[in-house]
Each structure stands twice: as C-alpha cells, then as structure tokens.
Amino acid sequence: MVHECSGLFLAALAQWPGSVVVLRSWVVAVSGSLAVMFSLPVRIAMTAAVEFDGVSAEGAVQGAVREETRGEGSGRTRGSVGMDWRGGDWQAQARYYAEGSVLEGAALSRRQEELAVAVLEVVLKAGLKPYDIDADAEGEATGVGLALVPGRTDALRVIWQQDPPAESETPAGVWSAQQAAMSQALRTILSANGFWIEDGPLGQSPVVLGLTRPGD
C-alpha cells in the first residue's frame, strides 16, 4: 500500500516538473531549520561556556593586577584583599594604606599624599594600625585615620578612630578621655619624629603641616 501511494505521488509530480523544484526546496528548507533547531542549544551552551570562562579569566587577571598595584603608589583598587599592617616593609605598607586611610574617602593632593605616606610610616613603626576604608565597609573601623583640613591642600589632620560599636557600651567620659589620650599620643609621636605640628590644645587631634619643622 505504501509503495503504491509513493508511486502515484511520484507520477503526479512528473506531470508538474515545477513541483519537483518546490518539493526539493521545501525539503532543503525543512532540513536547514531542523539543523538550526538542534544546533542552537549546543551553540548557546558553547557561547555561555566561553563567556563564563572569559569572565573568570578577566576576574583573575584583574585580581592579580589589584594585588600588584596596591601598595606601589599608583593608587589602590577598592575591594582588593587587604595588606597585613603588622611588620614587614613599613614604607610599602604606608603607600598601600595612604589613600584608604582618608576618612570619608576624600581625595588627596600630591603634597598631601606625600605627607600621608610619611605619617603612616611613623604610625606603623609605633605599632598602631592605620584606618582602612575598605575594612570599615566590613565593620573594622578602628585605626589611625587622616582627614582634610578645610582650606588647606598641604596639611592633614591625624585622627584616632575608636571602634564605633564600643561607643554605646562605654561611658561618655571614658570615651572622650580615651580619644584625648590617643590624640595626645599621636601628637607626641609625630613631633618626636620631626613633623611640623600645628599648635593646638592638649587632647585635640594633631594637624600635620609638613614633613619637618621650619628651620630644621
């Protein structure tokens, strides 16, 4: 029965040669569509794999670049793995922390950046932890921070940043006394290392005006 139908179908096609062309085109079109249909998921999967690998490779390269550039004076990238502030190369650590130690992420002038590195090197030698804005985002806000002085592009205020969560559990008088004591300690340390410190009341965070005092 199937052979008879096939024969009749072919005989009918022979009466209209143009129909053979149409049929052939239809078969080719259907075959092409099926090929595209079946190959599409494979192509999507391959593309996704390539894009995934590309992103992973790019992320790995960027991570390596961050680690290479932070602490070399070329500016540090946010979100990078932090440098251990304890021991090691004080100058390299000071360069690393200089930008991130500025409270509220304010930008430094070239002069202030030079001053920040010098101040932090002394701070590190004294065994004090620099404030790090990246660590602050993760809840670690304690350390020696730097702040801009209004109207001055060549000076920095050096501030001891206490642990904010501890403030609510510490009597106000004790908190203020601790802050004043650390401010005075910083003033003494920086003055002993030859920095030019602006005159100010005891217990106030020191303002550094220069690497050396005038006349030294």
Side-chain angles (χ1 to χ4, degrees):
M1 180 66 179
V2 174
H3 293 293
E4 292 178 2
C5 291
S6 300
L8 291 174
F9 180 68
L10 293 174
L13 288 177
Q15 300 297 322
W16 296 282
S19 61
V20 176
V21 177
V22 174
L23 177 62
R24 183 180 300 166
S25 300
W26 179 80
V27 171
V28 172
V30 171
S31 300
S33 299
L34 290 174
V36 171
M37 181 178 66
F38 285 109
S39 66
L40 185 58
V42 177
R43 291 168 61 189
I44 291 175
M46 291 176 64
T47 302
V50 170
E51 290 178 351
F52 176 79
D53 290 341
V55 171
S56 298
E58 182 182 357
V61 171
Q62 288 179 346
V65 170
R66 291 191 191 106
E67 282 301 294
E68 193 67 25
T69 57
R70 291 183 72 173
E72 290 187 354
S74 57
R76 63 192 228 163
T77 305
R78 296 282 177 258
S80 301
V81 178
M83 176 183 285
D84 190 348
W85 62 275
R86 293 162 295 190
D89 186 335
W90 292 307
Q91 191 172 56
Q93 290 170 323
R95 287 198 304 268
Y96 174 88
Y97 281 106
E99 181 183 348
S101 66
V102 183
L103 301 176
E104 300 182 357
L108 298 177
S109 67
R110 185 176 296 274
R111 170 64 175 165
Q112 287 171 324
E113 188 173 334
E114 178 185 1
L115 200 57
V117 171
V119 166
L120 291 179
E121 185 175 352
V122 168
V123 165
L124 287 161
K125 287 179 179 178
L128 297 174
K129 175 186 175 184
Y131 167 81
D132 186 357
I133 194 170
D134 292 341
D136 191 354
E138 299 177 1
E140 299 179 18
T142 305
V144 178
L146 305 175
L148 303 185
V149 179
R152 302 289 300 267
T153 59
D154 58 350
L156 288 172
R157 184 177 293 278
V158 184
I159 302 173
W160 172 251
Q161 181 92 341
Q162 297 189 67
D163 188 17
E167 183 173 7
S168 60
E169 300 180 12
T170 305
V174 174
W175 182 269
S176 297
Q178 290 176 170
Q179 190 67 41
M182 289 302 298
S183 296
Q184 186 58 37
L186 288 171
R187 179 181 295 273
T188 301
I189 291 169
L190 295 171
S191 295
N193 280 273
F195 286 93
W196 180 16
I197 307 298
E198 183 178 67
D199 292 335
L202 295 176
Q204 185 180 71
S205 56
V207 173
V208 181
L209 302 176
L211 297 174
T212 58
R213 289 181 288 267
D216 287 358

